[in-house]
Amino acid sequence: MIAFGALIPLLILAGLIAGIAALAKRNDNEPHDGFARRLVISALTFGLTIVAVVGIALLVDIALGSFDGLARSGSSDVAGALAMTLVGVPAAFFLWRYQLTALAGPDGRSVVWLLHMSLATAVFSIGTVIGLGNGLQFEDSGSRTALAFGLTFLGAWLFHEWLGRQRPAPLLSGLPRAIGGGVGLVTAAFGGLALINALISQLVESDDFIASSGRLDAIKSGAVWTAVGLAVWVWQFAMRPRSDELPEATLTLGLGVGGGALMGIGGLTAAVALLLDAITDGIDTQPIGEAVGAVAVGFLIWRYHRGLATSPQAVRVSRHLVSGIALIGLAVGIGVLVNAGLAALTPAFASVNEMDVLWTGLAALAVNAPIWALTWRPDRKPDPDHGSTVQRTYLTVLGGAAGVTGAIALIVFFYQLLEGMLEGDSVAGIVDGTRAPLGIVVATGLVTAYHYKAWAASRSDDDEPEAITVERVTFIGSDTGVAEALRSELGVRTTEWRSAGEGRVLASDELAAHLRAIDSTDVLVVEEERGYRVIRLLRDGQRPHTGDPQE
């Protein structure tokens, strides 16, 4: 039954593919159907590739079971795997041939190719990480199946990596690599967190270091996930040359700096809350490993990716990201403290849960306030970021989000207040029902008021020219040491062009004839008061032309 269930829809799909491919080939010269044709062919190619990969993975799983795995496995399992493979592989092969031929033409410049490569990288990278992460633990037969799928998905991912190098996307070509690097980084982060948690829990909860089988399994699992994630991240991101494209900047700043800071600050807040809670309730050993692991892994990720943000704009974005995360934590701390303060008016405040709320608020305030002050620097005069696009975006987003959150919390507050009054609740009951939304209103109100004031101050300086920070220098000359000195001293990107001399100043009507006579592929034309200066540029290994000293 499984064999027929797999064959019938696949045969129907193969027939549809053949018809659509023929129709696409027939109408290839019609521009209005270009995007739809590319989208349909790409979707079908991707779908059949998944079918082929799954079929091969099932066969690999059966073969890994034993030397005669095909004979020992059930007939339905073998039939299903063979059906998917026999239909999926040839169909995907022919569609890929058509796809690669089309990519040599206008299809190679279509955004559909970027979407295809991004989706394929996301699916196959996640499948690879999950399969290898579960399979390399060698726990049971399920690990064998996971390993088979991980290896097969890895093969499909390598195939798409090769395609990406042969046919780069027309724009945002680094997006697939950023997706793969992000999957690896997230996997390594949570694997490292689990590993540190298991190790610390073993040290804290055991009198000796002889771990139980369950603890050893947790340590092994964390180590495997960390190794798999690190391998993928190094392959997709760390070993690749740096670029300024949006996908890599998003991975570096958003996931690396922002995600690492969020994980580290959250872990530090939890650790401080545990220490404060130990004062009244004794230390709880269970969350210690998670808190310490989050601090270690989060700040390690943040520090590494912060070092990659070297341009002035990237440094500015990095600082505002951390400042925003700390500000949100600070607002949460203020809201929780208001909540706990109002809870003190009710008889239930002495309960353990209410004390936990108080410690959480104090910890959030103690951790996030210094981090926000160090990154935002409200006392810095003059502020080099004042009026910049990054700062205005930061103020607008945070102030607007705080205002919307506060408005919703205010509605909830009045709803709880009026409901309690209409039902005749006691004062303590009304306070207990309204303290949570009131804490949010106070915190978001403070954040909104402060950021609106800072935003208004930046708007008042619109008439003043904004200070421009140099981010790129193009150097033209024969002294190559100048460009290197600027790069190291200012920390900016430099483009260096070697010139063959000072060039010659010509009138506009002489330019075309002079450029025809120059024996060079790269020429710089600069407008001057006397005319146009023509400077011949040299490539690596090219020597200056000695026939004309002015060039």
Side-chain angles (χ1 to χ4, degrees), residues 157-231:
W157 190 8
L158 290 172
F159 171 69
H160 284 82
E161 274 279 311
W162 176 79
L163 284 178
R165 295 179 183 179
Q166 303 300 314
R167 303 283 196 280
L171 71 165
L172 299 180
S173 58
L175 180 58
R177 188 176 71 246
I179 292 174
V183 170
L185 181 61
V186 171
T187 304
F190 284 98
L193 174 60
L195 176 60
I196 295 175
N197 179 28
L199 290 173
I200 292 180
S201 298
Q202 172 62 27
L203 289 173
V204 172
E205 298 176 8
S206 302
D207 296 332
D208 50 30
F209 199 72
I210 301 176
S212 62
S213 59
R215 191 72 66 191
L216 285 176
D217 290 340
I219 295 174
K220 181 182 67 175
S221 175
V224 168
W225 286 108
T226 304
V228 171
L230 278 177

XYZ file of all heavy atoms in Angstrom, residues 157-231:
547
model
N 22.887 19.551 0.046
C 23.365 20.903 0.376
C 24.666 21.206 -0.364
O 24.846 22.310 -0.901
C 23.549 21.002 1.887
C 23.813 22.382 2.380
C 23.747 23.541 1.665
C 24.168 22.769 3.709
N 24.038 24.626 2.459
C 24.300 24.178 3.711
C 24.382 22.054 4.881
C 24.658 24.877 4.862
C 24.720 22.758 6.028
C 24.857 24.148 6.021
N 25.581 20.251 -0.411
C 26.829 20.449 -1.142
C 26.560 20.678 -2.630
O 27.248 21.494 -3.271
C 27.742 19.231 -0.947
C 28.341 19.055 0.453
C 29.046 17.713 0.559
C 29.323 20.185 0.758
N 25.583 19.962 -3.173
C 25.225 20.167 -4.570
C 24.751 21.595 -4.802
O 25.141 22.252 -5.785
C 24.140 19.165 -4.973
C 23.549 19.417 -6.322
C 24.294 19.228 -7.467
C 22.230 19.848 -6.446
C 23.745 19.463 -8.720
C 21.672 20.079 -7.682
C 22.430 19.889 -8.828
N 23.918 22.117 -3.918
C 23.436 23.491 -4.072
C 24.543 24.508 -3.792
O 24.533 25.607 -4.366
C 22.233 23.728 -3.156
C 20.965 23.114 -3.657
N 20.656 21.789 -3.459
C 19.930 23.640 -4.372
C 19.486 21.528 -4.005
N 19.022 22.620 -4.560
N 25.491 24.177 -2.922
C 26.655 25.050 -2.741
C 27.431 25.182 -4.042
O 27.855 26.271 -4.422
C 27.555 24.478 -1.645
C 27.172 24.880 -0.247
C 27.681 26.260 0.103
O 28.879 26.542 -0.112
O 26.871 27.075 0.578
N 27.622 24.060 -4.702
C 28.327 24.083 -5.979
C 27.550 24.905 -7.011
O 28.128 25.686 -7.779
C 28.521 22.652 -6.482
C 29.146 22.577 -7.838
C 30.466 22.707 -8.151
C 28.452 22.357 -9.071
N 30.646 22.588 -9.511
C 29.422 22.372 -10.102
C 27.112 22.149 -9.404
C 29.096 22.184 -11.429
C 26.779 21.962 -10.734
C 27.763 21.979 -11.726
N 26.236 24.750 -7.033
C 25.422 25.521 -7.963
C 25.533 27.016 -7.681
O 25.592 27.832 -8.610
C 23.953 25.098 -7.847
C 23.542 23.773 -8.480
C 22.078 23.516 -8.203
C 23.806 23.795 -9.968
N 25.556 27.386 -6.390
C 25.659 28.794 -6.047
C 26.955 29.425 -6.514
O 26.999 30.615 -6.838
N 28.024 28.643 -6.562
C 29.294 29.172 -7.049
C 29.318 29.234 -8.570
O 29.938 30.132 -9.151
C 30.443 28.299 -6.545
C 30.596 28.340 -5.032
C 31.729 27.445 -4.564
N 31.839 27.437 -3.115
C 32.733 26.718 -2.442
N 33.584 25.946 -3.107
N 32.770 26.772 -1.120
N 28.657 28.277 -9.230
C 28.621 28.297 -10.687
C 27.653 29.347 -11.226
O 27.927 29.979 -12.241
C 28.195 26.915 -11.214
C 29.072 25.768 -10.753
C 30.511 25.926 -11.195
O 30.784 26.252 -12.345
N 31.431 25.693 -10.283
N 26.545 29.531 -10.539
C 25.522 30.484 -10.968
C 25.161 31.391 -9.783
O 24.159 31.176 -9.108
C 24.254 29.755 -11.433
C 24.445 28.760 -12.549
C 24.583 29.460 -13.890
N 24.398 28.526 -14.991
C 25.328 27.694 -15.435
N 26.509 27.659 -14.847
N 25.085 26.895 -16.462
N 25.968 32.409 -9.492
C 25.652 33.300 -8.364
C 24.326 34.025 -8.597
O 23.946 34.309 -9.731
C 26.834 34.284 -8.345
C 27.916 33.611 -9.123
C 27.226 32.777 -10.156
N 23.626 34.296 -7.500
C 22.364 35.023 -7.594
C 22.618 36.450 -8.060
O 23.681 37.019 -7.807
C 21.658 35.027 -6.235
N 21.647 37.073 -8.752
C 21.873 38.421 -9.282
C 21.983 39.485 -8.203
O 22.559 40.535 -8.436
C 20.638 38.647 -10.169
C 19.584 37.762 -9.582
C 20.317 36.557 -9.080
N 21.410 39.251 -7.054
C 21.496 40.182 -5.935
C 21.455 39.387 -4.644
O 20.945 38.272 -4.598
C 20.348 41.188 -5.958
C 18.932 40.712 -5.638
C 18.054 41.923 -5.348
C 18.324 39.914 -6.764
N 22.050 39.973 -3.608
C 22.113 39.315 -2.297
C 22.643 37.889 -2.438
O 22.083 36.930 -1.892
C 20.727 39.299 -1.631
C 20.076 40.658 -1.348
C 18.721 40.466 -0.703
C 20.963 41.530 -0.472
N 23.734 37.753 -3.165
C 24.275 36.419 -3.426
C 24.760 35.735 -2.155
O 24.912 34.514 -2.129
C 25.429 36.517 -4.429
O 26.447 37.373 -3.944
N 25.017 36.509 -1.100
C 25.465 35.905 0.150
C 24.349 35.434 1.056
O 24.618 34.936 2.158
N 23.081 35.562 0.619
C 21.958 35.170 1.477
C 21.961 33.685 1.811
O 21.782 33.320 2.981
C 20.639 35.584 0.817
C 19.359 35.244 1.595
C 19.386 35.896 2.965
C 18.126 35.688 0.819
N 22.152 32.773 0.847
C 22.199 31.347 1.226
C 23.303 31.036 2.228
O 23.094 30.266 3.175
C 22.430 30.636 -0.114
C 21.887 31.560 -1.138
C 22.193 32.933 -0.622
N 24.472 31.639 2.041
C 25.565 31.395 2.984
C 25.234 31.941 4.373
O 25.562 31.329 5.395
C 26.849 32.028 2.453
C 28.071 31.674 3.269
C 29.341 32.238 2.662
N 29.421 33.681 2.803
C 29.377 34.540 1.790
N 29.237 34.088 0.560
N 29.457 35.823 1.993
N 24.572 33.090 4.422
C 24.182 33.648 5.713
C 23.147 32.764 6.400
O 23.166 32.606 7.628
C 23.628 35.067 5.528
N 22.236 32.181 5.637
C 21.249 31.272 6.222
C 21.948 30.051 6.808
O 21.665 29.634 7.941
C 20.218 30.861 5.161
C 19.361 32.063 4.756
C 19.334 29.733 5.676
C 18.418 31.786 3.611
N 22.860 29.454 6.033
C 23.594 28.298 6.552
C 24.416 28.641 7.781
O 24.441 27.881 8.759
N 25.091 29.790 7.755
C 25.863 30.202 8.929
C 24.986 30.461 10.134
O 25.362 30.143 11.268
N 23.799 31.034 9.907
C 22.881 31.271 11.021
C 22.380 29.984 11.645
O 22.285 29.872 12.871
N 22.068 28.986 10.802
C 21.635 27.681 11.328
C 22.741 27.055 12.172
O 22.506 26.530 13.270
C 21.228 26.750 10.170
C 21.014 25.323 10.669
C 19.969 27.267 9.490
N 23.985 27.111 11.670
C 25.102 26.562 12.438
C 25.344 27.304 13.734
O 25.611 26.683 14.773
N 25.240 28.644 13.706
C 25.494 29.427 14.917
C 24.445 29.151 15.988
O 24.782 28.982 17.171
C 25.511 30.918 14.562
C 25.786 31.886 15.714
C 27.165 31.618 16.315
C 25.684 33.332 15.234
N 23.185 29.102 15.595
C 22.118 28.825 16.572
C 22.285 27.424 17.166
O 22.140 27.214 18.379
C 20.746 28.992 15.908
C 19.637 28.503 16.835
C 20.508 30.448 15.534
N 22.620 26.453 16.303
C 22.820 25.084 16.793
C 23.989 25.014 17.765
O 23.894 24.379 18.831
C 23.071 24.131 15.609
O 21.984 24.228 14.687
C 23.195 22.698 16.084
N 25.110 25.644 17.416
C 26.275 25.639 18.303
C 25.977 26.353 19.615
O 26.437 25.924 20.685
C 27.458 26.292 17.602
N 25.203 27.439 19.565
C 24.893 28.192 20.783
C 24.084 27.347 21.771
O 24.426 27.240 22.958
C 24.133 29.467 20.429
N 23.019 26.730 21.291
C 22.185 25.936 22.199
C 22.867 24.616 22.578
O 22.652 24.099 23.680
C 20.823 25.682 21.565
C 19.922 26.884 21.600
C 19.807 27.706 20.492
C 19.226 27.213 22.735
C 18.994 28.829 20.517
C 18.405 28.337 22.789
C 18.291 29.145 21.663
N 23.696 24.079 21.678
C 24.481 22.911 22.060
C 25.489 23.233 23.137
O 25.656 22.471 24.100
N 26.179 24.368 23.007
C 27.112 24.785 24.053
C 26.416 25.062 25.367
O 26.933 24.742 26.446
N 25.226 25.658 25.300
C 24.450 25.909 26.517
C 24.101 24.593 27.213
O 24.243 24.466 28.450
C 23.189 26.680 26.157
C 22.164 26.919 27.267
C 22.789 27.721 28.396
C 20.944 27.630 26.727
N 23.653 23.606 26.433
C 23.306 22.308 27.018
C 24.542 21.611 27.590
O 24.474 20.974 28.653
C 22.640 21.430 25.964
N 25.683 21.719 26.907
C 26.906 21.078 27.384
C 27.374 21.691 28.702
O 27.700 20.970 29.665
C 27.993 21.218 26.317
C 29.376 20.679 26.683
C 29.313 19.190 26.987
C 30.376 20.962 25.571
N 27.421 23.015 28.782
C 27.854 23.677 30.015
C 26.871 23.392 31.147
O 27.273 23.164 32.302
C 27.996 25.194 29.775
C 29.125 25.457 28.775
C 28.273 25.929 31.082
C 29.268 26.911 28.387
N 25.584 23.377 30.838
C 24.582 23.078 31.855
C 24.789 21.672 32.421
O 24.730 21.457 33.644
C 23.195 23.213 31.247
C 22.086 22.904 32.233
O 22.244 23.076 33.434
N 20.967 22.425 31.722
N 25.041 20.687 31.536
C 25.245 19.314 32.001
C 26.508 19.183 32.836
O 26.530 18.498 33.871
C 25.299 18.366 30.803
N 27.578 19.852 32.430
C 28.837 19.773 33.180
C 28.709 20.429 34.555
O 29.144 19.867 35.571
C 29.956 20.439 32.384
C 30.420 19.701 31.115
C 31.406 20.556 30.337
C 31.052 18.367 31.480
N 28.115 21.612 34.614
C 27.981 22.313 35.897
C 27.008 21.569 36.809
O 27.235 21.465 38.024
C 27.533 23.761 35.658
C 28.658 24.541 34.976
C 27.137 24.434 36.966
C 28.333 25.981 34.697
N 25.931 21.054 36.253
C 24.986 20.289 37.075
C 25.654 19.059 37.665
O 25.391 18.691 38.822
C 23.774 19.878 36.225
O 23.091 21.014 35.746
N 26.535 18.419 36.883
C 27.254 17.258 37.402
C 28.177 17.658 38.552
O 28.272 16.971 39.559
C 28.065 16.598 36.278
C 29.005 15.496 36.720
C 28.263 14.322 37.354
O 27.100 14.095 37.033
N 28.923 13.612 38.252
N 28.843 18.805 38.424
C 29.763 19.245 39.478
C 29.017 19.664 40.736
O 29.470 19.408 41.852
C 30.610 20.421 38.964
C 31.662 20.093 37.905
C 32.287 21.377 37.369
C 32.742 19.185 38.493
N 27.858 20.325 40.567
C 27.139 20.870 41.714
C 26.340 19.800 42.439
O 26.302 19.749 43.673
C 26.221 22.023 41.257
C 25.325 22.474 42.407
C 27.046 23.179 40.742
N 25.719 18.901 41.680
C 24.776 17.966 42.277
C 25.400 16.646 42.690
O 24.728 15.817 43.290
C 23.638 17.702 41.290
C 22.837 18.948 40.949
C 21.779 18.682 39.898
O 21.593 17.491 39.561
O 21.144 19.632 39.431
N 26.663 16.398 42.349
C 27.295 15.117 42.677
C 28.466 15.338 43.620
O 29.190 16.333 43.519
C 27.783 14.418 41.406
O 26.702 14.209 40.517
N 28.636 14.390 44.533
C 29.766 14.469 45.449
C 31.078 14.148 44.760
O 32.137 14.585 45.171
C 29.555 13.506 46.625
C 28.340 13.899 47.459
O 28.024 15.108 47.477
O 27.725 13.003 48.061
N 31.029 13.349 43.734
C 32.226 13.042 42.948
C 31.885 13.262 41.475
O 30.767 13.599 41.118
C 32.706 11.607 43.181
C 31.576 10.598 43.023
O 30.651 10.891 42.231
O 31.602 9.548 43.690
N 32.877 13.091 40.629
C 32.682 13.362 39.212
C 32.254 12.105 38.448
O 32.314 12.050 37.242
C 33.963 13.928 38.595
C 33.705 14.641 37.294
C 33.065 15.864 37.279
C 34.106 14.080 36.095
C 32.818 16.526 36.087
C 33.871 14.735 34.888
C 33.224 15.969 34.896
N 31.842 11.077 39.166
C 31.363 9.866 38.496
C 29.926 10.127 38.072
O 29.011 10.146 38.889
C 31.452 8.650 39.429
C 32.900 8.437 39.885
C 30.921 7.416 38.733
C 33.060 7.314 40.875
N 29.747 10.367 36.801
C 28.436 10.768 36.300
C 27.562 9.549 36.058
O 28.036 8.469 35.715
C 28.589 11.571 35.012
N 26.270 9.743 36.229
C 25.318 8.697 35.905
C 25.183 8.586 34.388
O 25.655 9.430 33.631
C 23.960 9.028 36.538
O 23.456 10.239 35.999
N 24.524 7.502 33.974
C 24.353 7.309 32.532
C 23.535 8.439 31.916
O 23.823 8.894 30.800
C 23.680 5.964 32.268
O 22.402 5.923 32.919
N 22.509 8.925 32.633
C 21.717 10.036 32.114
C 22.519 11.312 31.974
O 22.389 12.050 31.004
N 23.387 11.574 32.968
C 24.223 12.766 32.896
C 25.238 12.662 31.777
O 25.514 13.634 31.073
C 24.923 12.980 34.233
C 25.600 14.328 34.360
C 24.581 15.434 34.509
N 23.857 15.314 35.756
C 22.766 16.019 36.047
N 22.278 16.847 35.160
N 22.156 15.866 37.204
N 25.804 11.474 31.609
C 26.751 11.275 30.505
C 26.070 11.456 29.151
O 26.666 12.016 28.216
C 27.373 9.882 30.599
C 28.432 9.681 31.687
C 28.872 8.230 31.725
C 29.628 10.597 31.440
N 24.837 10.990 29.050
C 24.098 11.187 27.807
C 23.869 12.672 27.534
O 23.960 13.127 26.379
C 22.757 10.463 27.865
C 22.928 8.946 27.823
O 23.994 8.484 27.377
O 21.994 8.237 28.251
N 23.566 13.438 28.589
C 23.356 14.877 28.408
C 24.641 15.571 27.977
O 24.632 16.454 27.110
C 22.831 15.493 29.705
N 25.775 15.181 28.580
C 27.063 15.766 28.208
C 27.415 15.411 26.766
O 27.844 16.261 25.976
C 28.163 15.298 29.176
C 27.894 15.840 30.585
C 29.537 15.731 28.687
C 28.844 15.300 31.634
N 27.200 14.144 26.403
C 27.501 13.706 25.039
C 26.601 14.412 24.038
O 27.066 14.858 22.974
C 27.323 12.197 24.930
C 27.633 11.640 23.550
C 27.390 10.135 23.493
C 25.921 9.810 23.636
N 25.640 8.361 23.457
N 25.338 14.550 24.364
C 24.413 15.212 23.455
C 24.808 16.672 23.236
O 24.832 17.158 22.099
C 22.989 15.129 24.008
O 22.082 15.853 23.207
N 25.134 17.368 24.324
C 25.553 18.761 24.178
C 26.819 18.903 23.360
O 26.947 19.818 22.539
N 27.773 17.987 23.566
C 29.029 18.045 22.818
C 28.794 17.799 21.330
O 29.396 18.463 20.474
C 30.017 17.023 23.380
N 27.906 16.848 21.004
C 27.635 16.537 19.597
C 26.966 17.717 18.899
O 27.366 18.135 17.804
C 26.766 15.271 19.484
C 26.236 15.104 18.060
C 27.561 14.044 19.894
N 25.943 18.286 19.535
C 25.261 19.423 18.925
C 26.197 20.617 18.765
O 26.138 21.334 17.754
C 24.043 19.816 19.758
C 22.890 18.880 19.636
C 22.428 18.005 20.571
C 22.043 18.706 18.495
N 21.364 17.305 20.099
C 21.087 17.709 18.821
C 22.001 19.293 17.236
C 20.115 17.308 17.931
C 21.021 18.886 16.341
C 20.092 17.911 16.687
N 27.062 20.841 19.756
C 28.025 21.942 19.645
C 28.986 21.712 18.487
O 29.277 22.629 17.705
C 28.810 22.089 20.953
O 27.897 22.274 22.039
C 29.752 23.278 20.887
N 29.501 20.486 18.361
C 30.459 20.187 17.292
C 29.812 20.322 15.917
O 30.409 20.896 14.991
C 31.024 18.777 17.486
N 28.591 19.808 15.760
C 27.912 19.902 14.468
C 27.634 21.365 14.112
O 27.883 21.815 12.977
C 26.605 19.087 14.488
C 25.777 19.358 13.228
C 26.914 17.596 14.601
N 27.122 22.130 15.071
C 26.835 23.539 14.803
C 28.080 24.333 14.478
O 28.089 25.163 13.561
N 29.163 24.094 15.232
C 30.411 24.811 14.964
C 30.962 24.463 13.586
O 31.471 25.345 12.872
C 31.441 24.475 16.042
C 31.339 25.251 17.354
C 32.388 24.757 18.337
C 31.512 26.747 17.112
N 30.893 23.193 13.207
C 31.409 22.789 11.899
C 30.643 23.497 10.781
O 31.249 24.001 9.820
C 31.307 21.272 11.745
